[in-house]
Amino acid sequence: PLTNSTQVVYVKGISSVGDFGEPKAFWYDQTNSLSTNAICLATATGVGRWKHPWNGDVRAFGVTSEFPALATETATNQMDSRAMIQSAIDLMSERGGGIVRLPPGRVRIGGSLYMKPRVHLQGTVAPMGFTSPRSLASGQTSRLLAGTTLEMASANGIGEACLIFDGPRYYTNMFTQSFVNFDGDTVYYRSGANSVQNIGFVSYNWGWGSTNPWPVSAIAIRDVDGVLIKNCAFENMAGHGVWATGARGLVIEGCAS
């Protein structure tokens, strides 16, 4: 932490000048201290701060795919990357949207991730070549399509949705419109302009006894339009692969369950 600083985003694994080690990873911006267009570290004095041109790679936030394998499919998770990935999604949304990139391998989350408007979550494409035969047993489906597996192991042992598009909470923006259908229900158009690509979803928890309003699923969508789900795989899910309501323009392409 920097002494007396009030605006700090902690960045792991990136060096910088001054208090941050080697030069060139950050530069000092004296003229636009309120900019949110880059990962920034506030200085203790003055109006400027160190900035880094973030490319959307969540590893800048300390996200790793090096977690040890879970001993059992019902194991609860004690360490995960959920908070760091959520920070990356939030920052990309503040910048106006863009691609948040997950690293290859098994990325673990201990709770739901909430998507924001115009943010795209992207894993890595699966490497070509598979052992013969192409088994669809546990662990194989996601590797068939995606080089990145998002592994849900809820810290409280209760199943949750991995990825949530919550229109009423996060998508009430300038594009929101509504109409009343024949049943008298108010239906909303909330422009999402989102995509989820090259990710395998795995869950290790059932939803018994849960008070969570979201169903156990890989992806849950409520009142968000224009979502593309492409080259994703859903395995070992105790609930739905994709659960959606009020999701006009939803496209699911090249996926396996």
Side-chain angles (χ1 to χ4, degrees):
L2 302 177
T3 305
N4 298 325
S5 59
T6 58
Q7 299 179 13
V8 178
V9 175
Y10 295 95
V11 181
K12 180 179 179 181
I14 298 179
S15 60
S16 173
V17 297
D19 294 340
F20 311 104
E22 298 298 324
K24 295 185 179 179
F26 285 85
W27 73 89
Y28 193 67
D29 175 25
Q30 292 180 299
T31 59
N32 193 6
S33 62
L34 298 179
S35 172
T36 60
N37 292 326
I39 291 180
C40 300
L41 289 162
T43 58
T45 59
V47 296
R49 54 185 179 176
W50 299 100
K51 300 179 65 175
H52 183 273
W54 182 48
N55 66 354
D57 191 329
V58 296
R59 285 175 289 192
F61 285 79
V63 173
T64 179
S65 56
E66 301 302 320
F67 292 122
L70 294 174
T72 67
E73 290 188 346
T74 58
T76 57
N77 177 40
Q78 298 301 318
M79 57 181 181
D80 65 85
S81 296
R82 190 208 66 80
M84 292 174 282
I85 298 174
Q86 188 65 62
S87 294
I89 292 172
D90 295 346
L91 179 59
M92 189 62 79
S93 177
E94 292 174 5
R95 295 177 60 176
I99 300 173
V100 172
R101 307 175 195 276
L102 298 177
R106 188 178 61 252
V107 180
R108 188 174 300 166
I109 55 175
S112 300
L113 294 169
Y114 287 85
M115 291 293 284
K116 301 293 179 64
R118 298 174 296 282
V119 174
H120 306 271
L121 192 64
Q122 185 170 296
T124 56
V125 177
M128 296 301 293
F130 301 91
T131 57
S132 180
R134 290 188 179 183
S135 170
L136 293 182
S138 178
Q140 295 300 312
T141 306
S142 62
R143 286 197 290 271
L144 206 63
L145 293 177
T148 298
T149 298
L150 198 60
E151 179 185 65
M152 163 66 80
S154 176
N156 61 12
I158 296 176
E160 300 180 43
C162 299
L163 196 62
I164 296 176
F165 294 80
D166 188 353
R169 184 173 181 181
Y170 294 113
Y171 287 76
T172 51
N173 52 40
M174 61 182 294
F175 303 107
T176 299
Q177 301 178 40
S178 65
F179 67 93
V180 179
N181 65 14
F182 288 111
D183 295 325
D185 301 320
T186 301
V187 182
Y188 290 93
Y189 286 105
R190 292 188 173 95
S191 177
N194 297 107
S195 67
V196 182
Q197 298 189 58
N198 307 326
I199 299 175
F201 293 87
V202 182
S203 177
Y204 293 109
N205 298 118
W206 292 87
W208 308 132
S210 174
T211 58
N212 192 322
W214 297 97
V216 178
S217 57
I219 300 173
I221 305 172
R222 179 175 65 169
D223 290 351
V224 175
D225 300 337
V227 177
L228 168 66
I229 302 171
K230 184 175 182 179
N231 295 343
C232 291
F234 314 105
E235 63 171 281
N236 201 48
M237 301 302 301
H240 307 278
V242 178
W243 177 91
T245 178
R248 283 162 294 276
L250 171 63
V251 176
I252 302 176
E253 177 182 333
C255 296
S257 179

